[in-house]
Amino acid sequence: MNPILTTVILLCCSNVFMTFAWYGHLRNLSNKTWIIAALVSWGIALFEYLLQVPANRIGHGVMPVGQLKILQEVITLFIFIPFSIFYMKEKLSMDYLWAGLCLLGAVFFIFRTRIMGA
């Protein structure tokens, strides 16, 4: 499989775990002490790292770390928006659009040599 596609798939999967580890406790464990929420989040994060570390190693074989980081940020927003709307039941605002446009600018600048071939 193409290493960039493999990286994207693994980062998407790891980001689902990361999003639940970071924010899922706000809905599910709000009645528990913070230490319980932290331990549960830490357990979820283990699965994130089991996917994220190989993704970054594979990705770094075909792209510089700056491109890898911007790719991860775009994936984070791509995963976070449905999570916040469907799982956390928050309303979509125009701020998501503006953030997405800023990330598109970041994608353009960090990947422009790959995109434009220069």
Side-chain angles (χ1 to χ4, degrees):
M1 185 183 290
N2 179 312
I4 293 175
L5 182 60
T6 302
T7 299
V8 168
I9 291 169
L10 287 171
L11 285 176
C12 285
C13 293
S14 78
N15 214 282
V16 170
F17 285 105
M18 183 212 64
T19 302
F20 275 94
W22 279 40
Y23 304 107
H25 64 89
L26 298 174
R27 178 174 169 193
N28 297 325
L29 301 172
S30 60
N31 61 340
K32 303 287 185 196
T33 64
W34 73 267
I35 192 74
I36 298 297
L39 291 172
V40 170
S41 293
W42 187 57
I44 294 169
L46 170 65
F47 295 102
E48 176 214 346
Y49 279 95
L50 291 174
L51 296 167
Q52 174 260 29
V53 170
N56 284 334
R57 287 176 175 238
I58 293 166
H60 192 252
V62 292
M63 67 183 85
V65 72
Q67 290 180 350
L68 199 54
K69 179 60 179 168
I70 296 300
L71 177 62
Q72 181 267 322
E73 293 299 337
V74 169
I75 290 168
T76 295
L77 191 58
F78 179 76
I79 299 294
F80 182 76
I81 290 172
F83 172 85
S84 66
I85 294 168
F86 298 114
Y87 187 76
M88 296 299 292
K89 307 290 188 211
E90 295 193 357
K91 292 186 184 232
L92 183 65
S93 72
M94 288 300 290
D95 290 339
Y96 288 106
L97 174 65
W98 306 133
L101 289 174
C102 289
L103 281 173
L104 283 177
V107 167
F108 171 76
F109 286 111
I110 202 72
F111 285 97
R112 70 179 160 175
T113 56
R114 190 180 291 261
I115 294 168
M116 301 177 130

